[in-house]
mmCIF file of all heavy atoms in Angstrom:
data_model
loop_
_atom_site.group_PDB
_atom_site.id
_atom_site.type_symbol
_atom_site.label_atom_id
_atom_site.label_comp_id
_atom_site.label_asym_id
_atom_site.label_seq_id
_atom_site.Cartn_x
_atom_site.Cartn_y
_atom_site.Cartn_z
ATOM 1 N N VAL A 525 119.396 88.072 96.070
ATOM 2 C CA VAL A 525 120.587 87.253 96.224
ATOM 3 C C VAL A 525 120.393 86.003 95.364
ATOM 4 O O VAL A 525 119.427 85.263 95.560
ATOM 5 C CB VAL A 525 120.789 86.864 97.701
ATOM 6 C CG1 VAL A 525 121.923 85.868 97.843
ATOM 7 C CG2 VAL A 525 121.066 88.110 98.539
ATOM 8 N N VAL A 526 121.297 85.784 94.432
ATOM 9 C CA VAL A 526 121.182 84.630 93.530
ATOM 10 C C VAL A 526 122.561 84.008 93.300
ATOM 11 O O VAL A 526 123.564 84.732 93.307
ATOM 12 C CB VAL A 526 120.570 85.035 92.171
ATOM 13 C CG1 VAL A 526 119.124 85.409 92.322
ATOM 14 C CG2 VAL A 526 121.347 86.176 91.530
ATOM 15 N N PRO A 527 122.639 82.730 93.064
ATOM 16 C CA PRO A 527 121.548 81.756 93.157
ATOM 17 C C PRO A 527 121.165 81.515 94.606
ATOM 18 O O PRO A 527 121.977 81.698 95.514
ATOM 19 C CB PRO A 527 122.144 80.501 92.530
ATOM 20 C CG PRO A 527 123.609 80.606 92.810
ATOM 21 C CD PRO A 527 123.930 82.067 92.734
ATOM 22 N N PHE A 528 119.929 81.117 94.802
ATOM 23 C CA PHE A 528 119.416 80.873 96.142
ATOM 24 C C PHE A 528 118.529 79.647 96.063
ATOM 25 O O PHE A 528 117.435 79.717 95.507
ATOM 26 C CB PHE A 528 118.626 82.088 96.630
ATOM 27 C CG PHE A 528 118.189 81.987 98.064
ATOM 28 C CD1 PHE A 528 119.032 82.367 99.094
ATOM 29 C CD2 PHE A 528 116.929 81.508 98.386
ATOM 30 C CE1 PHE A 528 118.631 82.280 100.414
ATOM 31 C CE2 PHE A 528 116.525 81.416 99.714
ATOM 32 C CZ PHE A 528 117.385 81.802 100.724
ATOM 33 N N GLY A 529 118.973 78.540 96.598
ATOM 34 C CA GLY A 529 118.263 77.283 96.399
ATOM 35 C C GLY A 529 117.470 76.806 97.589
ATOM 36 O O GLY A 529 117.081 75.635 97.646
ATOM 37 N N ILE A 530 117.202 77.697 98.545
ATOM 38 C CA ILE A 530 116.501 77.291 99.757
ATOM 39 C C ILE A 530 115.005 77.567 99.600
ATOM 40 O O ILE A 530 114.623 78.696 99.256
ATOM 41 C CB ILE A 530 117.050 78.049 100.985
ATOM 42 C CG1 ILE A 530 118.571 77.973 101.017
ATOM 43 C CG2 ILE A 530 116.433 77.503 102.269
ATOM 44 C CD1 ILE A 530 119.128 76.566 100.995
ATOM 45 N N PRO A 531 114.141 76.605 99.866
ATOM 46 C CA PRO A 531 112.694 76.863 99.748
ATOM 47 C C PRO A 531 112.217 77.829 100.832
ATOM 48 O O PRO A 531 112.525 77.640 102.012
ATOM 49 C CB PRO A 531 112.068 75.478 99.942
ATOM 50 C CG PRO A 531 113.083 74.695 100.700
ATOM 51 C CD PRO A 531 114.423 75.224 100.292
ATOM 52 N N VAL A 532 111.537 78.853 100.438
ATOM 53 C CA VAL A 532 111.025 79.835 101.397
ATOM 54 C C VAL A 532 109.511 79.930 101.253
ATOM 55 O O VAL A 532 108.947 79.622 100.213
ATOM 56 C CB VAL A 532 111.671 81.223 101.198
ATOM 57 C CG1 VAL A 532 113.146 81.172 101.532
ATOM 58 C CG2 VAL A 532 111.450 81.737 99.784
ATOM 59 N N GLY A 533 108.882 80.366 102.321
ATOM 60 C CA GLY A 533 107.435 80.482 102.323
ATOM 61 C C GLY A 533 106.974 81.444 103.399
ATOM 62 O O GLY A 533 107.761 82.182 103.984
ATOM 63 N N ALA A 534 105.693 81.401 103.653
ATOM 64 C CA ALA A 534 105.087 82.326 104.605
ATOM 65 C C ALA A 534 105.294 81.838 106.030
ATOM 66 O O ALA A 534 105.082 80.666 106.329
ATOM 67 C CB ALA A 534 103.600 82.464 104.312
ATOM 68 N N LEU A 535 105.725 82.714 106.885
ATOM 69 C CA LEU A 535 105.744 82.476 108.325
ATOM 70 C C LEU A 535 104.878 83.558 108.947
ATOM 71 O O LEU A 535 104.841 84.679 108.433
ATOM 72 C CB LEU A 535 107.168 82.518 108.877
ATOM 73 C CG LEU A 535 107.345 82.157 110.349
ATOM 74 C CD1 LEU A 535 108.708 81.488 110.579
ATOM 75 C CD2 LEU A 535 107.287 83.397 111.245
ATOM 76 N N ARG A 536 104.202 83.244 110.000
ATOM 77 C CA ARG A 536 103.241 84.144 110.642
ATOM 78 C C ARG A 536 103.554 85.627 110.352
ATOM 79 O O ARG A 536 104.622 86.119 110.678
ATOM 80 C CB ARG A 536 103.279 83.896 112.148
ATOM 81 C CG ARG A 536 102.178 84.571 112.928
ATOM 82 C CD ARG A 536 102.263 84.160 114.390
ATOM 83 N NE ARG A 536 101.114 84.632 115.142
ATOM 84 C CZ ARG A 536 100.829 84.267 116.384
ATOM 85 N NH1 ARG A 536 101.609 83.399 117.008
ATOM 86 N NH2 ARG A 536 99.759 84.725 117.006
ATOM 87 N N ALA A 537 102.590 86.308 109.750
ATOM 88 C CA ALA A 537 102.672 87.721 109.405
ATOM 89 C C ALA A 537 103.712 88.024 108.333
ATOM 90 O O ALA A 537 104.565 88.889 108.500
ATOM 91 C CB ALA A 537 102.938 88.571 110.634
ATOM 92 N N PRO A 538 103.647 87.299 107.202
ATOM 93 C CA PRO A 538 104.540 87.687 106.118
ATOM 94 C C PRO A 538 104.054 88.965 105.448
ATOM 95 O O PRO A 538 102.849 89.141 105.289
ATOM 96 C CB PRO A 538 104.419 86.497 105.149
ATOM 97 C CG PRO A 538 103.050 85.934 105.397
ATOM 98 C CD PRO A 538 102.777 86.180 106.852
ATOM 99 N N PRO A 539 104.906 89.864 105.027
ATOM 100 C CA PRO A 539 106.350 89.868 105.190
ATOM 101 C C PRO A 539 106.804 90.689 106.406
ATOM 102 O O PRO A 539 107.994 90.867 106.615
ATOM 103 C CB PRO A 539 106.812 90.558 103.913
ATOM 104 C CG PRO A 539 105.741 91.579 103.674
ATOM 105 C CD PRO A 539 104.452 90.955 104.135
ATOM 106 N N THR A 540 105.848 91.197 107.186
ATOM 107 C CA THR A 540 106.228 92.150 108.229
ATOM 108 C C THR A 540 106.921 91.501 109.417
ATOM 109 O O THR A 540 107.444 92.216 110.277
ATOM 110 C CB THR A 540 104.982 92.915 108.731
ATOM 111 O OG1 THR A 540 103.957 91.968 109.037
ATOM 112 C CG2 THR A 540 104.469 93.869 107.683
ATOM 113 N N ASN A 541 106.958 90.163 109.498
ATOM 114 C CA ASN A 541 107.623 89.534 110.651
ATOM 115 C C ASN A 541 109.104 89.899 110.711
ATOM 116 O O ASN A 541 109.678 89.944 111.791
ATOM 117 C CB ASN A 541 107.425 88.014 110.631
ATOM 118 C CG ASN A 541 107.800 87.386 109.307
ATOM 119 O OD1 ASN A 541 108.784 87.764 108.693
ATOM 120 N ND2 ASN A 541 107.015 86.422 108.862
ATOM 121 N N GLY A 542 109.725 90.147 109.567
ATOM 122 C CA GLY A 542 111.112 90.613 109.579
ATOM 123 C C GLY A 542 111.216 92.109 109.364
ATOM 124 O O GLY A 542 112.032 92.797 109.994
ATOM 125 N N ILE A 543 110.369 92.615 108.501
ATOM 126 C CA ILE A 543 110.425 94.040 108.158
ATOM 127 C C ILE A 543 110.152 94.921 109.361
ATOM 128 O O ILE A 543 110.749 95.993 109.524
ATOM 129 C CB ILE A 543 109.412 94.326 107.025
ATOM 130 C CG1 ILE A 543 109.879 93.658 105.736
ATOM 131 C CG2 ILE A 543 109.236 95.819 106.824
ATOM 132 C CD1 ILE A 543 108.829 93.637 104.669
ATOM 133 N N SER A 544 109.245 94.503 110.218
ATOM 134 C CA SER A 544 108.920 95.334 111.378
ATOM 135 C C SER A 544 110.153 95.546 112.251
ATOM 136 O O SER A 544 110.379 96.648 112.763
ATOM 137 C CB SER A 544 107.803 94.672 112.201
ATOM 138 O OG SER A 544 107.319 95.549 113.195
ATOM 139 N N PHE A 545 110.958 94.498 112.420
ATOM 140 C CA PHE A 545 112.177 94.631 113.226
ATOM 141 C C PHE A 545 113.092 95.693 112.639
ATOM 142 O O PHE A 545 113.557 96.597 113.353
ATOM 143 C CB PHE A 545 112.897 93.282 113.297
ATOM 144 C CG PHE A 545 114.342 93.378 113.660
ATOM 145 C CD1 PHE A 545 114.735 93.925 114.885
ATOM 146 C CD2 PHE A 545 115.325 92.937 112.781
ATOM 147 C CE1 PHE A 545 116.083 94.023 115.217
ATOM 148 C CE2 PHE A 545 116.670 93.037 113.105
ATOM 149 C CZ PHE A 545 117.045 93.592 114.320
ATOM 150 N N VAL A 546 113.360 95.623 111.346
ATOM 151 C CA VAL A 546 114.335 96.546 110.771
ATOM 152 C C VAL A 546 113.771 97.958 110.653
ATOM 153 O O VAL A 546 114.468 98.940 110.954
ATOM 154 C CB VAL A 546 114.852 96.042 109.413
ATOM 155 C CG1 VAL A 546 115.486 94.675 109.557
ATOM 156 C CG2 VAL A 546 113.753 95.989 108.359
#
Side-chain angles (χ1 to χ4, degrees):
V525 173
V526 291
F528 186 85
I530 311 304
V532 294
L535 186 148
R536 190 176 188 170
T540 50
N541 52 40
I543 292 168
S544 190
F545 160 61
V546 302

